[in-house]
């Protein structure tokens, strides 16, 4: 997202409070994407549907949204990074004409996604209308996660923000309106309609901004095999985030909803809601950290191409280190204050989203875990900037395995006070290990650049 980040940082630099606020809000909306609409929908619908849906239908609607979001993210997690790498290579060569055809090629991924949706459609023990809506929502979300990758090349960030915001409101409003008229199916249809509209408008925006005479480009498929480690990195990162949920869903404390979904609603609600707490960190990372780092990174490799001196390379590398340290310090301060404030009002948050006071400690644990998990994300992004794929794969494997092991221990102890420890411990260990590897690679960057190529 460095491309959009530079434009938003320029808006902040103008000095106007209004423009700076618009830039930060825009960054928050773009970085969270469909995730924000899902969390907002769960919170709003959880409150509003109590008036017109039975408790069974409300629980099923919650289970549907959570399951489709989880399934779509787990399926496309591995595919996102190879496609991002291909797109970055095309943009580096200033081949913007390949952006729209590649986007069309990504839509061809509908076929394998359709097979998964078809299995649900044929096997799930629900009304055929419900199965059709869920299959449609799953396909829409899967493609939306992939299409969001192309926004990094877009210049019209205002149009993107307008599309995302209006579709959030449209989906939630349509879900409430149709839910009152047609119950569960209406609520699900309204939310699905909002997501489908969002996908359609994002695709239109990409095709308008990047016109091309070429119809479709499938060259990105080679990158999935060429950069198989990127596929594993994306898969491990996504699985590492969801591993604790999957284990708890299959545990004795998990709830079977409508004879099909296995969820743990209190845990899922807490994790979904507190995930919004890292929006400030994502915003700062996009506008300041990534853009500052990218400037020094580009300068470093420009000097190599121009036969720059070792002193110049060291200065550029130290600039990258300084950008990381400064950005990390700023994010720690801001995110620390956000997490502390939310921990203090955790009782009010729990009551607002329908959790009993017994789950307030879990809410606080998840707040700390989400903060640490952001630093796992940041370390992954910056290590991939340096093309340290093996190091990234190593620390994300530690992150995923720790989440699995610690969550299994928490489940075995059988006390709800320990739920969330797995995610918290894995996030902290992953963040510490990831930043250690990043710092080490930055210190040895000249050696790695010239003597340790692979």
């Amino acid at each position: 997202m460095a491309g959009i980040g530079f434009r938003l940082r320029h808006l902040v630099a103008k000095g106007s409070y209004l423009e700076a606020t618009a830039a930060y809000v825009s960054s928050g909306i773009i970085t969270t994407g469909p995730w924000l609409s899902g969390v907002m929908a769960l919170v709003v619908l959880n409150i509003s549907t109590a008036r017109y849906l039975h408790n069974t239908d409300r629980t099923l609607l919650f289970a549907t949204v959570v399951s489709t979001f989880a399934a779509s993210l787990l399926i496309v997690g591995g595919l996102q990074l190879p496609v991002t790498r291909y797109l970055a290579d095309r943009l580096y060569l200033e081949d913007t004409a390949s952006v729209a055809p590649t986007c069309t090629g990504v839509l061809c991924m509908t076929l394998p996604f359709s097979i998964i949706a078809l299995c649900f459609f044929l096997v799930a023990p629900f009304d055929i209308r419900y199965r059709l809506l869920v299959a449609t929502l799953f396909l829409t979300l899967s493609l939306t996660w992939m299409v969001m990758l192309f926004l990094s090349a877009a210049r019209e960030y205002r149009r993107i923000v307008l599309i995302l915001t209006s579709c959030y409101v449209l989906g939630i409003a349509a879900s409430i309106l149709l839910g009152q008229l047609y119950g569960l199916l209406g609520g699900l249809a309204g939310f699905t309609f909002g997501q489908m509209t969002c996908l359609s408008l994002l695709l239109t925006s990409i095709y308008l901004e990047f016109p091309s005479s070429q119809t479709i480009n499938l060259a990105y498929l080679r990158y999935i095999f060429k950069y198989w480690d990127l596929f594993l990195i994306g898969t491990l990162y996504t699985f590492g985030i969801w591993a604790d949920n999957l284990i708890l869903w299959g545990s004795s404390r998990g709830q079977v909803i409508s004879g099909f979904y296995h969820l743990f609603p209190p845990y899922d609600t807490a994790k979904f809601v507190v995930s919004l707490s890292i929006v400030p960190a994502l915003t700062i990372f996009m506008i300041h950290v990534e853009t500052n780092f990218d400037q020094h990174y580009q300068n470093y490799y420009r000097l190599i191409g121009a036969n720059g001196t070792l002193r110049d390379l060291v200065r550029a590398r130290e600039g990258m280190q300084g950008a990381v340290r400064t950005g990390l310090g700023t994010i720690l301060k801001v995110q620390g204050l956000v997490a502390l404030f939310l921990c203090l009002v955790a009782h009010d948050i729990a009551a607002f989203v329908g959790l009993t006071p017994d789950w307030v400690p879990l809410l606080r644990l998840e707040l700390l875990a989400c903060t640490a998990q952001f630093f796992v994300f940041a370390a992954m992004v910056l290590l991939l900037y340096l093309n340290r794929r093996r190091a990234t794969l190593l620390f994300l494997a530690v992150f995923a395995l720790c989440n699995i092991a610690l969550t299994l221990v928490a489940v075995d102890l059988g006390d709800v006070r320990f739920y969330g420890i797995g995610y918290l411990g894995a996030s902290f260990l992953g963040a510490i290990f990831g930043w250690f590897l990043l710092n080490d690679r930055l210190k040895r960057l000249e050696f790695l650049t010239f003597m340790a190529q692979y």
Side-chain angles (χ1 to χ4, degrees):
M1 287 294 178
I4 289 180
F6 278 115
R7 286 182 281 281
L8 293 177
R9 190 176 73 169
H10 177 71
L11 195 62
V12 172
K14 289 183 177 180
S16 165
Y17 287 112
L18 181 61
E19 289 175 317
T21 301
Y24 286 119
V25 172
S26 298
S27 175
I29 293 172
I30 292 171
T31 53
T32 50
W35 183 261
L36 180 60
S37 68
V39 177
M40 289 173 57
L42 284 177
V43 173
V44 174
L45 294 177
N46 185 56
I47 298 171
S48 62
T49 54
R51 301 194 306 271
Y52 56 86
L53 284 183
H54 296 296
N55 189 55
T56 304
D57 287 342
R58 290 178 65 207
T59 306
L60 180 55
L61 182 60
F62 172 87
T64 303
V65 174
V66 171
S67 297
T68 50
F69 266 79
S72 61
L73 282 166
L74 288 168
I75 291 298
V76 306
L79 298 170
Q80 287 182 308
L81 289 179
V83 174
T84 301
R85 176 58 188 262
Y86 176 79
L87 184 61
D89 287 351
R90 292 295 92 201
L91 293 176
Y92 177 77
L93 297 173
E94 298 183 357
D95 181 18
T96 56
S98 66
V99 173
T102 302
C103 185
T104 304
V106 167
L107 295 181
C108 291
M109 288 184 179
T110 305
L111 181 59
F113 296 156
S114 297
I115 294 173
I116 299 171
L118 180 63
C119 292
F120 176 88
F121 184 78
L122 295 175
V123 175
F126 297 106
D127 178 273
I128 189 171
R129 295 169 297 175
Y130 172 85
R131 284 181 281 163
L132 181 60
L133 285 171
V134 173
T136 303
L137 179 59
F138 169 76
L139 287 172
T140 302
L141 287 173
S142 298
L143 292 175
T144 302
W145 299 124
M146 299 302 298
V147 169
M148 289 291 293
L149 303 177
F150 294 85
L151 301 185
S152 60
R155 301 185 64 85
E156 294 295 332
Y157 71 90
R158 292 185 182 86
R159 183 164 57 198
I160 295 168
V161 172
L162 179 61
I163 290 171
L164 292 172
T165 305
S166 59
C167 289
Y168 295 166
V169 175
L170 174 65
I172 294 173
S175 183
I176 294 174
L177 178 61
L178 294 177
Q180 293 175 339
L181 297 174
Y182 303 105
L184 170 66
L185 291 175
L188 182 58
F191 182 71
T192 303
F193 174 70
Q195 297 299 323
M196 291 177 65
T197 305
C198 182
L199 175 60
S200 301
L201 292 176
L202 287 176
L203 287 171
T204 302
S205 179
I206 291 170
Y207 292 136
L208 286 174
E209 188 162 350
F210 301 101
S212 175
S213 58
Q214 188 180 0
T215 304
I216 185 170
N217 179 16
L218 297 176
Y220 72 91
L221 292 173
R222 295 197 303 268
Y223 274 53
I224 297 175
F225 301 99
K226 182 179 180 180
Y227 297 104
W228 56 269
D229 43 6
L230 285 180
F231 181 88
L232 287 180
I233 287 168
T235 301
L236 278 174
Y237 176 69
T238 310
F239 180 75
I241 293 174
W242 287 95
D244 50 325
N245 293 83
L246 295 172
I247 292 171
L248 287 169
W249 293 349
S251 70
S252 58
R253 292 299 300 268
Q255 297 180 26
V256 180
I257 298 171
S258 297
F260 185 83
Y261 296 104
H262 290 255
L263 296 177
F264 192 180
Y267 189 89
D268 300 331
T269 300
K271 191 169 180 178
F272 253 69
V273 171
V274 301
S275 64
L276 293 182
S277 67
I278 63 170
V279 171
L282 287 169
T283 299
I284 295 171
F285 183 81
M286 178 183 181
I287 294 181
H288 297 290
V289 181
E290 189 178 8
T291 52
N292 288 336
F293 183 88
D294 184 73
Q295 281 185 321
H296 294 291
Y297 168 86
Q298 297 291 349
N299 185 41
Y300 179 85
Y301 285 99
R302 191 182 303 112
L303 287 168
I304 292 175
N307 297 319
T309 65
L310 178 60
R311 180 178 297 177
D312 291 333
L313 290 177
V314 170
R315 191 179 298 115
R317 189 255 299 163
E318 289 175 346
M320 283 188 267
Q321 288 181 296
V324 171
R325 291 195 202 98
T326 303
L328 176 62
T330 302
I331 290 174
L332 275 174
K333 293 173 186 175
V334 174
Q335 195 58 37
L337 289 173
V338 171
L340 177 61
F341 171 75
L342 293 177
C343 283
L344 291 174
V345 298
H347 281 279
D348 297 319
I349 296 173
F352 182 72
V353 298
L355 292 174
T356 63
D358 295 339
W359 297 106
V360 170
L362 171 64
L363 205 60
R364 290 176 174 144
L365 278 179
E366 293 292 328
L367 281 166
L368 297 175
C370 275
T371 299
Q373 185 250 308
F374 164 78
F375 290 100
V376 172
F377 162 78
M380 176 186 72
V381 170
L382 296 176
L383 277 170
L384 289 178
Y385 256 101
L386 302 177
N387 203 28
R388 300 297 102 196
R389 302 194 299 274
R390 300 297 191 276
T392 310
L393 193 59
L394 175 62
F395 99 84
L396 287 179
V398 170
F399 168 59
L401 289 173
C402 285
N403 199 3
I404 293 171
L406 293 175
T407 303
L408 287 173
V409 170
V411 170
D412 188 60
L413 291 173
D415 192 330
V416 296
R417 291 177 299 177
F418 296 107
Y419 291 169
I421 291 294
Y423 184 40
L424 176 64
S427 297
F428 268 100
L429 290 173
I432 292 170
F433 190 28
W435 283 98
F436 169 79
L437 291 175
L438 175 63
N439 187 56
D440 175 72
R441 271 42 177 191
L442 281 172
K443 284 182 178 178
R444 300 189 297 123
L445 187 58
E446 295 89 356
F447 171 80
L448 293 171
T449 301
F450 295 103
M451 304 296 293
Q453 293 295 321
Y454 58 88

PDB file of all heavy atoms in Angstrom, residues 113-124:
ATOM      1  N   PHE A 113     -12.614 -21.535  -6.340  1.00  0.00           N
ATOM      2  CA  PHE A 113     -13.467 -21.074  -5.250  1.00  0.00           C
ATOM      3  C   PHE A 113     -14.895 -21.611  -5.430  1.00  0.00           C
ATOM      4  O   PHE A 113     -15.572 -21.954  -4.456  1.00  0.00           O
ATOM      5  CB  PHE A 113     -13.502 -19.542  -5.195  1.00  0.00           C
ATOM      6  CG  PHE A 113     -12.180 -18.911  -4.892  1.00  0.00           C
ATOM      7  CD1 PHE A 113     -11.908 -17.603  -5.268  1.00  0.00           C
ATOM      8  CD2 PHE A 113     -11.186 -19.620  -4.240  1.00  0.00           C
ATOM      9  CE1 PHE A 113     -10.695 -17.012  -5.002  1.00  0.00           C
ATOM     10  CE2 PHE A 113      -9.956 -19.047  -3.965  1.00  0.00           C
ATOM     11  CZ  PHE A 113      -9.714 -17.737  -4.353  1.00  0.00           C
ATOM     12  N   SER A 114     -15.337 -21.655  -6.692  1.00  0.00           N
ATOM     13  CA  SER A 114     -16.686 -22.140  -6.983  1.00  0.00           C
ATOM     14  C   SER A 114     -16.856 -23.598  -6.590  1.00  0.00           C
ATOM     15  O   SER A 114     -17.937 -24.022  -6.168  1.00  0.00           O
ATOM     16  CB  SER A 114     -17.006 -21.962  -8.469  1.00  0.00           C
ATOM     17  OG  SER A 114     -16.994 -20.604  -8.833  1.00  0.00           O
ATOM     18  N   ILE A 115     -15.790 -24.380  -6.734  1.00  0.00           N
ATOM     19  CA  ILE A 115     -15.861 -25.800  -6.358  1.00  0.00           C
ATOM     20  C   ILE A 115     -16.114 -25.931  -4.858  1.00  0.00           C
ATOM     21  O   ILE A 115     -16.934 -26.750  -4.414  1.00  0.00           O
ATOM     22  CB  ILE A 115     -14.560 -26.514  -6.761  1.00  0.00           C
ATOM     23  CG1 ILE A 115     -14.426 -26.530  -8.285  1.00  0.00           C
ATOM     24  CG2 ILE A 115     -14.535 -27.941  -6.204  1.00  0.00           C
ATOM     25  CD1 ILE A 115     -13.102 -27.067  -8.784  1.00  0.00           C
ATOM     26  N   ILE A 116     -15.415 -25.097  -4.056  1.00  0.00           N
ATOM     27  CA  ILE A 116     -15.628 -25.118  -2.603  1.00  0.00           C
ATOM     28  C   ILE A 116     -17.050 -24.681  -2.274  1.00  0.00           C
ATOM     29  O   ILE A 116     -17.732 -25.291  -1.444  1.00  0.00           O
ATOM     30  CB  ILE A 116     -14.613 -24.194  -1.904  1.00  0.00           C
ATOM     31  CG1 ILE A 116     -13.193 -24.694  -2.180  1.00  0.00           C
ATOM     32  CG2 ILE A 116     -14.882 -24.137  -0.398  1.00  0.00           C
ATOM     33  CD1 ILE A 116     -12.115 -23.740  -1.726  1.00  0.00           C
ATOM     34  N   ALA A 117     -17.496 -23.604  -2.931  1.00  0.00           N
ATOM     35  CA  ALA A 117     -18.861 -23.118  -2.703  1.00  0.00           C
ATOM     36  C   ALA A 117     -19.886 -24.161  -3.125  1.00  0.00           C
ATOM     37  O   ALA A 117     -20.925 -24.334  -2.481  1.00  0.00           O
ATOM     38  CB  ALA A 117     -19.087 -21.808  -3.470  1.00  0.00           C
ATOM     39  N   LEU A 118     -19.594 -24.877  -4.227  1.00  0.00           N
ATOM     40  CA  LEU A 118     -20.513 -25.907  -4.716  1.00  0.00           C
ATOM     41  C   LEU A 118     -20.638 -27.049  -3.715  1.00  0.00           C
ATOM     42  O   LEU A 118     -21.734 -27.585  -3.502  1.00  0.00           O
ATOM     43  CB  LEU A 118     -20.033 -26.434  -6.067  1.00  0.00           C
ATOM     44  CG  LEU A 118     -20.899 -27.524  -6.714  1.00  0.00           C
ATOM     45  CD1 LEU A 118     -22.292 -26.966  -7.031  1.00  0.00           C
ATOM     46  CD2 LEU A 118     -20.230 -28.040  -7.988  1.00  0.00           C
ATOM     47  N   CYS A 119     -19.510 -27.406  -3.077  1.00  0.00           N
ATOM     48  CA  CYS A 119     -19.549 -28.469  -2.056  1.00  0.00           C
ATOM     49  C   CYS A 119     -20.475 -28.081  -0.911  1.00  0.00           C
ATOM     50  O   CYS A 119     -21.269 -28.893  -0.431  1.00  0.00           O
ATOM     51  CB  CYS A 119     -18.141 -28.746  -1.537  1.00  0.00           C
ATOM     52  SG  CYS A 119     -17.039 -29.494  -2.747  1.00  0.00           S
ATOM     53  N   PHE A 120     -20.368 -26.820  -0.468  1.00  0.00           N
ATOM     54  CA  PHE A 120     -21.257 -26.343   0.584  1.00  0.00           C
ATOM     55  C   PHE A 120     -22.701 -26.376   0.103  1.00  0.00           C
ATOM     56  O   PHE A 120     -23.607 -26.800   0.826  1.00  0.00           O
ATOM     57  CB  PHE A 120     -20.878 -24.917   0.993  1.00  0.00           C
ATOM     58  CG  PHE A 120     -21.799 -24.309   2.022  1.00  0.00           C
ATOM     59  CD1 PHE A 120     -21.563 -24.490   3.370  1.00  0.00           C
ATOM     60  CD2 PHE A 120     -22.910 -23.569   1.635  1.00  0.00           C
ATOM     61  CE1 PHE A 120     -22.412 -23.941   4.318  1.00  0.00           C
ATOM     62  CE2 PHE A 120     -23.764 -23.009   2.571  1.00  0.00           C
ATOM     63  CZ  PHE A 120     -23.508 -23.204   3.919  1.00  0.00           C
ATOM     64  N   PHE A 121     -22.906 -25.909  -1.130  1.00  0.00           N
ATOM     65  CA  PHE A 121     -24.254 -25.843  -1.694  1.00  0.00           C
ATOM     66  C   PHE A 121     -24.901 -27.231  -1.760  1.00  0.00           C
ATOM     67  O   PHE A 121     -26.101 -27.386  -1.530  1.00  0.00           O
ATOM     68  CB  PHE A 121     -24.193 -25.230  -3.096  1.00  0.00           C
ATOM     69  CG  PHE A 121     -25.535 -25.020  -3.731  1.00  0.00           C
ATOM     70  CD1 PHE A 121     -26.338 -23.952  -3.362  1.00  0.00           C
ATOM     71  CD2 PHE A 121     -25.998 -25.892  -4.702  1.00  0.00           C
ATOM     72  CE1 PHE A 121     -27.583 -23.747  -3.935  1.00  0.00           C
ATOM     73  CE2 PHE A 121     -27.242 -25.699  -5.291  1.00  0.00           C
ATOM     74  CZ  PHE A 121     -28.033 -24.620  -4.915  1.00  0.00           C
ATOM     75  N   LEU A 122     -24.102 -28.261  -2.042  1.00  0.00           N
ATOM     76  CA  LEU A 122     -24.647 -29.611  -2.201  1.00  0.00           C
ATOM     77  C   LEU A 122     -24.780 -30.352  -0.879  1.00  0.00           C
ATOM     78  O   LEU A 122     -25.667 -31.201  -0.722  1.00  0.00           O
ATOM     79  CB  LEU A 122     -23.749 -30.422  -3.151  1.00  0.00           C
ATOM     80  CG  LEU A 122     -23.680 -29.930  -4.603  1.00  0.00           C
ATOM     81  CD1 LEU A 122     -22.672 -30.763  -5.383  1.00  0.00           C
ATOM     82  CD2 LEU A 122     -25.060 -30.001  -5.264  1.00  0.00           C
ATOM     83  N   VAL A 123     -23.902 -30.048   0.089  1.00  0.00           N
ATOM     84  CA  VAL A 123     -23.824 -30.869   1.305  1.00  0.00           C
ATOM     85  C   VAL A 123     -24.530 -30.242   2.501  1.00  0.00           C
ATOM     86  O   VAL A 123     -25.143 -30.952   3.311  1.00  0.00           O
ATOM     87  CB  VAL A 123     -22.345 -31.153   1.652  1.00  0.00           C
ATOM     88  CG1 VAL A 123     -22.239 -31.905   2.972  1.00  0.00           C
ATOM     89  CG2 VAL A 123     -21.679 -31.939   0.531  1.00  0.00           C
ATOM     90  N   ALA A 124     -24.461 -28.940   2.655  1.00  0.00           N
ATOM     91  CA  ALA A 124     -24.967 -28.282   3.869  1.00  0.00           C
ATOM     92  C   ALA A 124     -26.466 -28.535   4.058  1.00  0.00           C
ATOM     93  O   ALA A 124     -27.242 -28.417   3.108  1.00  0.00           O
ATOM     94  CB  ALA A 124     -24.703 -26.786   3.801  1.00  0.00           C
TER      95      ALA A 124
END
